[in-house]
Amino acid sequence: MNSLAPLLMTGAQFNQPVCETPVHKEAHVLTSSPLRIRQVKVTMLRGPLSTLSLCFAILGFGGAALALECKPKTAGYFKELDSVAAGITSPIEQNGLARSLTGALGDPQKGRVAMIDPQKGSCIACHRVAALSAEPSHGNLGPTLNGAGSRFTEAQLRQLVINPKTFFPNTVMPAFHVTEGLTRVPAPFDGGPILTAAEVEDVVAFLKTLK
Amino acid sequence: MLIALGLLAAALPVLDAIGQERKSLPTKDKDNPLTELISGYYFTALRPRALQDDDFDNPGFAWVMQGEKLWSQSEGAAQKSCASCHGDAAQSMRAAGAAYPKFQEGTKSVLNLEQRINMCRQDHMQASPWTYESDGLLSMTAYVKLQSRGMPVDVQTDGPASEAFQLGRTLYNTRTGQLGMSCAHCHNDHYGDNLRAEVLSQGHSNGYPAFAVTRQKFTSLHERFRACYRERRAEPYEAGSAEFVALELYLAWRGKGLPVETPAVRR
C-alpha cells in the first residue's frame, strides 16, 4: 500500500478493510448514483501518483468517489454467492448444512489451532483474520474472514468448510471434508479428507466467534 | 486538466510492493488466458533479483561454466563432443533454446531441450544419456539456453505438436491432489496475491533451469513442477515424462514473447 492511499481513504464511509497486500491487480470504486450504489471495476494503476490521479480522473468523469478499496473480495464474495446461490435449487445446499457432522458442538480453541496449522486448515494461508493477527503472514487469495460469523449462518459456514464449490464452483479453495472426485492424491493423504469431522466442527465453532 | 491527470495515470508503470516497476508485455495470442505477461523475475524478492542481474554473483553460472567445459569434452564410443558437430555454441545454438519444447521428426514426439541433448549424446556421441536433474544435464541445458538469453520464447504448438499442446493445456487446467487445485487457480487467477508470505507468480518457464534460493539448488523446470504438485498434495509426474513435456510446451506458449532469462534466480 502506498503512503498516500490511507490519506485518500479517510472518512466514515471507508470501513472496508484497508489492503495490506503488496500487489493489487485492480481497484474497485464505489460510485453513487441516484438509484443505487454501483460497483465499477477499474484497471489498477499503482503508485502514489497514479492512485491520486485515478481519484481525480473519476471525479473528473462525473462519478463521486465514495470509496477506493484495494481488493474488496468481500464485496465480490457476496455478489458471487448471490448469483450462484440463486441457481441452486436444493434448500440444503442453499442454506448450508444445519446439522453438526459429529452431532456435537465444536471447540473454538481447537478450531483456532486448525485455522493456523499448515498441515490442517491453514486458513490464514489465503485469508486475513484479525483475531489471528498474532500469527504472521496472512495471505490474501480469499476474502478476509473478519465478521464471517455475522455474514454467514452456522449452516453456511459448515457447508463452506466442507465444500465451498457448492457455492462457488470455480473457487481455488479446497473442499476440507470431501474425499470423492479428487485425482492423484498420494499416500498418506489418499482416501481421507483434509479435516476430520470433529476438526470441521472446531473450525466452524471458531468462525462463529468472528463477529 | 483532470482528464490529463487520468491519462497520466494510465501511462504510469505498474509498481510492485517495493515500488519497483513490474514490467509486463502484452499477450500475442488471443487464446492466452493472460492479458499481460510478467516474468517471475518481478515476483521475486530484491536480493535474488540482484544475484540474477550480475553474472559474477549468479550461482547458476557455476552450472553454465560447467556446461561450457562439457561442450568441447569428447565422450562416448564415437569420441565426439558437442563441439565436434556444432562448433561454437554462441553461433550454432543461438535462439535454439527459445524454441523448445519442439516436435522431433526422428522420435515423432515433442522433446524438451534436456531430451534433445540426450538424443544427441546417444545418437551421435554414442554416450549414455544423462539422468534428469544430474549436474551434467542441468549444466548443458543451461549453457545451451544461455545462447538464447534475452530472446523471446517462441514455440510451435500447431501441426504435429498440437497433441502435446492440448495435453499440456488440459493438465494445466485440471484440479489435482487433495487440495483440488489446478495450475490456473493460482497462476492465472491469483498472481500477485500472497499465499502466506509467498507472492504467487504467473508461473512462467522462461528462467529455467534456475537457481532456487530456498533450496540452494540449480533446478530444472520439471523439478519445479513436482514441487508445485506436492504443495497441493498431488502425486507428481516423473521429470522428463510426456505429461511434463506437454505442460512445458503449454507454459512456453502461454509465456510466448517473454525473454529467456536462463540461468534465472528464483525463490
Side-chain angles (χ1 to χ4, degrees):
Chain A
M1 199 69 209
N2 62 61
S3 54
L4 259 179
L7 294 175
L8 292 168
M9 293 170 73
T10 51
Q13 69 271 45
F14 301 122
N15 53 3
Q16 306 278 353
V18 174
C19 183
E20 324 102 352
T21 65
V23 190
H24 320 302
K25 287 199 284 282
E26 59 199 28
H28 289 230
V29 179
L30 292 172
T31 57
S32 73
S33 77
L35 294 173
R36 61 200 167 103
I37 299 274
R38 240 168 1 112
Q39 197 179 37
V40 184
K41 216 171 182 180
V42 179
T43 307
M44 183 55 188
L45 307 152
R46 272 150 279 198
L49 244 184
S50 55
T51 311
L52 185 64
S53 33
L54 175 68
C55 282
F56 279 132
I58 290 155
L59 286 167
F61 288 120
L66 280 179
L68 189 125
E69 194 200 343
C70 297
K71 273 207 155 181
K73 292 198 164 159
T74 313
Y77 205 44
F78 281 118
K79 213 169 161 186
E80 198 179 352
L81 178 64
D82 289 346
S83 59
V84 173
I88 295 173
T89 49
S90 157
I92 296 170
E93 281 188 328
Q94 196 165 10
N95 298 326
L97 189 62
R99 200 156 32 93
S100 162
L101 290 176
T102 58
L105 287 175
D107 177 351
Q109 280 310 314
K110 285 185 186 167
R112 169 188 285 266
V113 175
M115 297 269 299
I116 295 167
D117 189 343
Q119 298 305 315
K120 293 289 182 183
S122 197
C123 309
I124 60 166
C126 297
H127 299 283
R128 282 166 291 154
V129 191
L132 301 174
S133 57
E135 200 66 21
S137 304
H138 295 204
N140 66 343
L141 268 76
T144 172
L145 298 181
N146 298 338
S150 306
R151 292 203 299 275
F152 299 107
T153 65
E154 180 190 314
Q156 287 172 330
L157 287 172
R158 186 174 287 111
Q159 183 64 50
L160 281 167
V161 175
I162 293 170
N163 185 6
K165 279 128 194 157
T166 48
F167 290 138
F168 314 118
N170 298 320
T171 184
V172 60
M173 182 172 156
F176 285 89
H177 195 67
V178 161
T179 52
E180 284 170 7
L182 302 175
T183 53
R184 298 189 74 80
V185 184
F189 308 116
D190 52 333
I194 305 171
L195 295 178
T196 64
E199 285 165 345
V200 169
E201 291 306 322
D202 294 341
V203 167
V204 170
F206 179 78
L207 291 171
K208 274 168 66 185
T209 69
L210 302 175
K211 295 290 185 186
Chain B
M1 156 73 179
L2 291 170
I3 292 171
L5 268 171
L7 288 175
L8 175 69
L12 282 171
V14 173
L15 304 180
D16 66 7
I18 43 180
Q20 290 234 337
E21 187 182 343
R22 188 176 272 169
K23 280 184 194 151
S24 67
L25 298 171
T27 38
K28 289 180 176 173
D29 198 315
K30 64 176 170 48
D31 291 338
N32 197 316
L34 298 170
T35 51
E36 54 176 358
L37 300 179
I38 307 172
S39 168
Y41 177 87
Y42 295 103
F43 296 98
T44 309
L46 277 188
R47 279 195 199 174
R49 280 195 227 176
L51 287 179
Q52 181 179 324
D53 289 342
D54 188 329
D55 288 355
F56 289 98
D57 286 346
N58 186 341
F61 265 84
W63 279 266
V64 168
M65 288 168 78
Q66 174 74 1
E68 186 176 15
K69 211 170 104 188
L70 289 169
W71 180 262
S72 46
Q73 193 172 297
S74 296
E75 273 188 74
Q79 273 303 299
K80 278 184 181 174
S81 70
C82 307
S84 311
C85 298
H86 297 291
D88 181 5
Q91 299 295 321
S92 60
M93 293 295 126
R94 195 183 139 78
Y100 274 81
K102 198 174 182 179
F103 181 81
Q104 303 294 320
E105 284 297 338
T107 59
K108 296 279 175 219
S109 63
V110 172
L111 297 187
N112 67 3
L113 192 53
E114 282 91 338
Q115 292 168 327
R116 185 64 188 80
I117 289 167
N118 266 338
M119 194 172 126
C120 244
R121 278 180 68 82
Q122 288 176 282
D123 293 357
H124 301 296
M125 294 163 72
Q126 292 166 36
S128 57
W130 277 312
T131 56
Y132 224 93
E133 221 56 20
S134 64
D135 280 338
L137 190 54
L138 282 170
S139 300
M140 188 55 71
T141 307
Y143 179 62
V144 171
K145 216 164 169 194
L146 179 76
Q147 313 308 325
S148 306
R149 190 160 64 160
M151 297 174 196
V153 173
D154 189 14
V155 288
Q156 199 176 346
T157 54
D158 53 1
S162 61
E163 196 181 325
F165 176 67
Q166 291 305 335
L167 172 63
R169 190 201 293 263
T170 304
L171 286 169
Y172 189 86
N173 291 298
T174 304
R175 286 188 187 271
T176 313
Q178 194 187 34
L179 303 196
M181 297 168 182
S182 73
C183 312
H185 279 116
C186 283
H187 298 293
N188 287 6
D189 301 346
H190 286 287
Y191 65 85
D193 284 352
N194 277 59
L195 186 67
R196 294 236 181 193
E198 182 184 342
V199 183
L200 291 172
S201 76
Q202 286 192 337
H204 289 300
S205 57
N206 59 321
Y208 282 83
F211 188 80
V213 281
T214 47
R215 302 169 65 210
Q216 288 293 302
K217 198 183 170 303
F218 201 55
T219 307
S220 72
L221 183 64
H222 290 196
E223 197 49 43
R224 186 65 192 81
F225 286 166
R226 287 173 64 82
C228 250
Y229 270 68
R230 284 190 291 263
E231 276 177 39
R232 52 187 157 147
R233 294 184 175 177
E235 184 71 52
Y237 296 96
E238 291 302 319
S241 63
E243 287 86 355
F244 274 175
V245 172
L247 187 57
E248 183 178 350
L249 178 64
Y250 176 74
L251 277 194
W253 167 83
R254 184 173 161 276
K256 209 169 175 173
L258 282 174
V260 172
E261 288 179 25
T262 308
V265 180
R266 295 287 188 259
R267 194 185 66 85

